[in-house]
């Protein structure tokens, strides 16, 4: 919609609202990846392997970086880090500093 049409319809959009709505899913994804990547050993399917992080665990055979908890944790954390960097780059690009 153009500014003339918005003015004619008496719609006054708030500055930055669109940017905030676009940034919201990226922020949620970055927070979700903290839980799924960085806190991977605390999930119910892997918490049993905390006592032996460097030995093979049958529950982690198909996990990325498995079958050890340390390998699976490292792999999940690195994938999460890569995606978080991309999410934060998008959020940073949408940020408009106050003038």
């Amino acid at each position: 919609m153009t500014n003339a049409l918005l003015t004619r319809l008496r719609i006054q959009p708030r500055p930055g609202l669109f940017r905030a709505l676009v940034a919201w899913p990226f922020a949620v994804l970055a927070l979700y990846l903290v839980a799924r990547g960085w806190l991977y050993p605390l999930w119910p399917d892997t918490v049993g392997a905390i006592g032996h992080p460097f030995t093979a665990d049958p529950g982690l055979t198909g996990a990325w970086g498995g079958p050890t908890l340390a390998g699976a944790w490292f792999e999940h954390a690195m994938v999460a880090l890569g995606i978080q960097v991309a999410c934060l780059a998008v959020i940073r690009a949408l940020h408009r500093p106050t003038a």
Side-chain angles (χ1 to χ4, degrees), residues 19-31 87 91:
R19 293 176 191 203
L21 290 175
V22 171
W24 174 252
F26 293 99
V28 170
L29 178 60
L31 288 174
C87 286
I91 292 170

Side-chain angles (χ1 to χ4, degrees), residues 14-80:
R14 300 177 96 175
L17 180 63
F18 177 74
R19 293 176 191 203
L21 290 175
V22 171
W24 174 252
F26 293 99
V28 170
L29 178 60
L31 288 174
Y32 172 76
L33 289 171
V34 168
R36 288 305 281 171
W38 297 103
L39 302 176
Y40 179 74
L42 302 178
W43 281 84
D45 56 343
T46 58
V47 76
I50 285 182
H52 53 92
F54 298 105
T55 58
D57 188 86
L60 297 173
T61 328
W64 298 343
T68 65
L69 177 62
W73 187 5
F74 177 78
E75 188 67 31
H76 280 79
M78 292 302 104
V79 169

Side-chain angles (χ1 to χ4, degrees), residues 3-15:
N3 287 337
L5 180 58
L6 289 175
T7 305
R8 188 178 293 159
L9 294 174
R10 293 191 175 108
I11 297 174
Q12 300 298 323
R14 300 177 96 175

